[in-house]
């Protein structure tokens, strides 16, 4: 099946931090894929900008390497893509090079301009200020900010204020790439394009929700950044809370940017603050020690970093949403590095049946679960009870209605960045975080992190290749529930690529 491709309008995209990890691993490959699919018009230009002085050809050579895996079978498309690239050495702290940028963009003054800030958030304000000072921020400009925005509510406000002095909110795209994942969008389709789920989507019928995003990789080359963030800022404040919002939000009146974001904001504001006295039982933070991951012995986080650290590489927590729909329904969130597998999934666990009409010999009756798998093997499974086929009387069996997207549609699953980058050019903010959402998320996270700091709380150790500290198991089992496991999956397929 081939998807219908609609070309976007001509644009100039400037990537700040173009020599960095994100640009190499995600942005350039995503742009190449869209180009290869025919979505970029001939006039579109991509300009790398970073502090390092280098010739445009050197940048193109780096880009060629970054796209090499996908480009191998498309040499013509690769050549066309590389010809779009250019490079400028720019420093947020000096004026050098900025007039060259203005001149280059001035060649097409009316064209859509996208400034992608793949840099640390402290540079967002200074870069925007220079974009204004050098007359580069035009009315057709959009700015894309990578998460995390700030380190807490106060610093996030400062960043948002600084960017907001140059760009109106309607031109600010705060990216959370989880929102661009195909299955995350499918969650909206599942909830709002089917009549089946809505009547059941509430405390009366749902026992609890689990959201897990686990990675088998460690911090790799990103320890410098990661140690200043930790799992709470890197994953929970944004990706996990955004997923929680999509599960919990009320149906929006229309699938328009502000209608969707208004509903997500209400969820964030309804998150029950975790009281300090409950912190130890409601939140678990961990840090990996040496262990075995992907079949090999791997060092602990402190060894990778080269010193001891109080930064967490694992968080599990129990959240509650104080509103009519969700009162009393726990949302268990869990994320970590160096866990047994790479897996992102949302599990909606329905309540048990109120009464069993079956004799004991029919076997246990498991409650229904809806499992939405974001990665890998994107798809949806609905776990039901059926009669075990064949003779032998009434015996019950748990089976899944399984919809694997790869099997059902056989199409390449685009990377989240492909969709999101094109949305920026199209001017669609639906899958981007609005300022008030980011700030509401920090408002909920901040007290937890403050309490950790004041108590000088140290993360609990866990061996690499395990599911985090045992306290994470206790966190859910204390409530008489267990973390979801699906032994029917091919576990080998779930290691990080
Ligand atoms: C990023 C985090 O936002 O998401 C990384 O900064 C993490 O630490 C990554 O590895 C996970 O994304 P994905 O799409 O591979 O699940």
């Amino acid at each position: 099946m081939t998807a219908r491709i609609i070309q976007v309008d001509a644009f100039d995209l400037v990537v700040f931090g173009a020599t960095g990890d994100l640009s190499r691993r995600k942005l350039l490959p995503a742009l190449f894929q869209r180009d290869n699919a025919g979505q970029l018009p001939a006039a579109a230009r991509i300009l790398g900008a970073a502090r390092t002085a280098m010739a445009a050809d050197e940048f193109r050579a780096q880009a060629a390497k970054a796209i090499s895996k996908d480009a191998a079978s498309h040499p013509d498309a690769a050549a066309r893509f590389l010809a779009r690239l250019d490079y400028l050495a720019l420093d947020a702290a000096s004026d050098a090079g900025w007039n060259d940028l203005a001149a280059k963009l001035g060649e097409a003054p009316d064209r859509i301009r996208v400034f992608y800030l793949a840099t640390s958030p402290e540079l967002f304000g200074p870069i925007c200020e220079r974009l204004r000072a050098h007359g580069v921020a035009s009315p057709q400009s959009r700015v894309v900010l990578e998460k995390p925005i700030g380190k807490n509510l106060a610093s996030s406000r400062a960043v948002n204020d600084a960017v907001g002095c140059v760009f109106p909110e309607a031109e600010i795209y705060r990216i959370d790439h989880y929102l661009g994942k195909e299955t995350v969008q499918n969650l909206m389709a599942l909830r709002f394009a089917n009549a089946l789920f809505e009547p059941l989507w509430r405390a009366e019928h749902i026992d609890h929700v689990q959201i897990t995003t686990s990675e088998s990789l460690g911090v790799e080359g990103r320890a410098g950044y990661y140690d200043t963030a930790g799992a709470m800022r890197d994953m929970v404040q944004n990706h996990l809370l955004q997923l929680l919002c999509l599960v919990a939000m009320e149906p929006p009146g229309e699938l328009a940017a502000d209608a969707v974001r208004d509903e997500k904001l209400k969820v964030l504001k309804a998150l029950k603050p975790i009281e300090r006295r409950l912190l130890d039982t409601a939140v678990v933070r961990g840090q990996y020690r040496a262990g075995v991951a992907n079949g090999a012995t791997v060092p602990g986080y402190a060894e990778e970093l080269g010193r001891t650290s109080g930064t967490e590489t694992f968080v599990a927590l129990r959240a509650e949403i104080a509103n009519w729909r969700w009162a009393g329904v726990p949302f268990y969130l869990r994320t970590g590095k160096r866990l047994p597998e790479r897996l992102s999934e949302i599990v909606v666990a329905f309540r048990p049946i109120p009464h069993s009409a079956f004799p004991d010999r029919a076997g246990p009756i498991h409650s229904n679960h809806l499992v939405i798998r974001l990665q890998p093997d994107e798809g949806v499974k609905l776990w039901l009870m059926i009669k075990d086929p064949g003779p032998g009387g009434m015996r019950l069996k748990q089976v899944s209605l399984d919809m694997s997207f790869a099997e059902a549609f056989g199409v390449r699953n685009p990377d989240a960045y492909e969709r999101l980058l094109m949305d920026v050019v199209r001017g669609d903010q639906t899958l981007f975080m609005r300022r008030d959402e980011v700030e509401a998320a920090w408002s909920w996270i901040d007290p937890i992190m403050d309490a950790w700091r004041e108590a000088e709380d140290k993360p609990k150790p866990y061996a690499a290749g395990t599911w985090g500290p045992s306290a994470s198991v206790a966190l859910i089992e204390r409530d008489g529930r267990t973390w979801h496991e699906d032994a029917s999956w091919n576990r080998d397929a779930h290691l990080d690529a």
Side-chain angles (χ1 to χ4, degrees), residues 109-352:
D110 299 328
R111 191 176 288 179
I112 293 165
R113 286 181 191 171
V114 179
F115 301 109
Y116 198 116
L117 310 194
T119 66
S120 105
E122 295 90 72
L123 296 179
F124 292 174
I127 291 175
C128 289
E129 187 38 48
R130 293 209 188 260
L131 288 173
R132 175 170 59 188
H134 293 272
V136 187
S138 68
Q140 289 73 250
S141 292
R142 282 138 214 198
V143 66
V144 187
L145 309 181
E146 260 298 329
K147 55 123 286 241
I149 311 237
K151 298 189 66 172
N152 51 26
L153 178 60
S155 55
S156 151
R157 277 195 177 135
V159 170
N160 282 324
D161 283 346
V163 175
C165 284
V166 180
F167 294 97
E169 182 65 29
E171 306 305 346
I172 302 176
Y173 290 72
R174 294 180 193 80
I175 207 158
D176 180 317
H177 78 278
Y178 265 62
L179 296 182
K181 289 186 190 278
E182 195 76 359
T183 322
V184 173
Q185 294 165 65
N186 239 309
L187 179 57
M188 286 203 265
L190 203 68
R191 285 197 59 197
F192 306 134
N194 294 289
L196 190 64
F197 296 110
E198 175 52 23
L200 302 177
W201 212 258
R202 57 193 67 248
E204 211 184 327
H205 300 288
I206 292 180
D207 177 72
H208 73 280
V209 175
Q210 298 182 16
I211 302 178
T212 295
T213 63
S214 67
E215 295 176 85
S216 59
L217 289 179
V219 286
E220 311 304 307
R222 295 168 72 229
Y225 148 74
Y226 193 86
D227 201 55
T228 64
M232 194 67 144
R233 294 190 178 98
D234 188 50
M235 297 292 290
V236 180
Q237 191 270 345
N238 32 80
H239 303 326
L240 275 87
L241 287 184
Q242 285 291 321
L243 295 181
L244 176 143
C245 285
L246 293 175
V247 174
M249 72 187 199
E250 294 299 314
E254 53 177 338
L255 205 69
D258 279 335
V260 171
R261 299 186 302 176
D262 286 347
E263 296 306 337
K264 286 196 290 160
L265 179 65
K266 286 183 207 159
V267 174
L268 289 165
K269 288 196 161 167
L271 278 172
K272 228 168 147 174
I274 297 183
E275 289 176 49
R276 276 202 182 199
R277 65 185 177 87
L278 299 178
L279 210 62
D280 276 350
T281 48
V283 190
V284 174
R285 63 196 297 252
Q287 187 188 86
Y288 62 85
R289 301 285 188 261
V292 176
N294 294 359
T297 311
V298 293
Y301 177 71
E303 283 98 71
E304 278 180 319
L305 191 65
R307 60 179 164 78
T308 57
S309 158
T311 300
E312 76 284 349
T313 59
F314 176 95
V315 172
L317 60 82
R318 181 189 195 279
E320 279 187 54
I321 300 167
N323 65 19
W324 198 309
R325 189 187 281 266
W326 294 112
V329 178
F331 282 68
Y332 300 99
L333 274 45
R334 165 174 79 149
T335 183
K337 301 228 181 248
R338 284 283 187 233
L339 301 185
E341 58 189 315
R342 176 175 191 246
L343 172 71
S344 291
E345 68 176 16
I346 299 168
V347 179
V348 179
F350 291 90
R351 290 193 183 279

